[in-house]
Amino acid sequence: MGQLSRRDTASSALALAFFGVGWFGWGQAKPPGWAPAWLGIGEAISLLVVIASAVTAFREPRATALPVRDRAAFRKYLIVFWGEIAVILVAAVILAFTGASAYLPAAICAAVGLHFIPLSAVVRDRPLIPLGATVTAVAVAALTIGLTTHVSPSTITGFGAGGALVGYAAWSLVRARRLPTARSAATAVQG
């Protein structure tokens, strides 16, 4: 299998920036007084990356090199995805029954971070590994800060996970814009 296409790379950026918007929004749950404006700026930047990624992705034809088009790879993708969902549901139930639901953002952040590691092999995007490590580190920081200060774990995960996702999405968008368009690739093959 070859390099990911411009459309695939931009679509990945679109998805990650979209979730970045969500994390910045979740950070607004119980933020300290100084945080809402900064979280709002993060949301706005994420939305700009969503729009730019969508424009880049949808200007390309549907043909894709994304490995999840392959049945075996798609099964692996589903295992990673449903494993992440299962971990989140178990964590949510445990935290709800123990009265620690304020730490749910940290638990979800950890599951999201960890899922990027096996996902990197499925979608052939090795840089997802450092993204996964970063998002997982944010979860640990959110738990630690939440236990030792009055700052809500959702604020820490909002800034940390939102920032990591939109940062990676912006970088993926730059990578996508550097790839040849499907039209220029077809012209090169014909020439």
Side-chain angles (χ1 to χ4, degrees):
M1 294 198 181
Q3 179 182 33
L4 293 179
S5 70
R6 179 181 250 212
R7 181 181 178 113
D8 294 335
T9 306
S11 295
S12 175
L14 170 63
L16 293 172
F18 175 79
F19 286 110
V21 171
W23 280 103
F24 280 115
W26 199 359
Q28 301 273 10
K30 294 181 184 178
W34 57 268
W38 292 106
L39 289 163
I41 290 169
E43 284 181 279
I45 291 169
S46 296
L47 283 171
L48 290 174
V49 175
V50 165
I51 292 165
S53 299
V55 168
T56 301
F58 297 119
R59 290 181 69 191
E60 290 293 310
R62 288 192 178 266
T64 182
L66 197 62
V68 295
R69 300 286 185 214
D70 172 79
R71 282 184 172 209
F74 187 65
R75 276 193 294 270
K76 290 176 187 174
Y77 170 80
L78 289 176
I79 290 168
V80 170
F81 173 77
W82 286 112
E84 174 193 19
I85 298 301
V87 167
I88 290 170
L89 290 174
V90 168
V93 169
I94 291 170
L95 292 170
F97 279 113
T98 59
S101 57
Y103 296 98
L104 184 60
I108 292 174
C109 188
V112 168
L114 291 172
H115 106 286
F116 283 127
I117 295 167
L119 185 64
S120 70
V122 175
V123 297
R124 295 188 338 258
D125 194 3
R126 303 275 304 154
L128 283 174
I129 294 172
L131 175 64
T134 301
V135 173
T136 303
V138 167
V140 172
L143 177 63
T144 304
I145 293 169
L147 288 170
T148 58
T149 71
H150 294 289
V151 178
S152 169
S154 65
T155 300
I156 304 304
T157 58
F159 279 115
L165 292 175
V166 76
Y168 187 87
W171 179 69
S172 290
L173 179 59
V174 169
R175 287 190 309 165
R177 303 284 303 192
R178 290 180 178 164
L179 292 171
T181 65
R183 284 179 219 87
S184 66
T187 303
V189 169
Q190 293 173 355

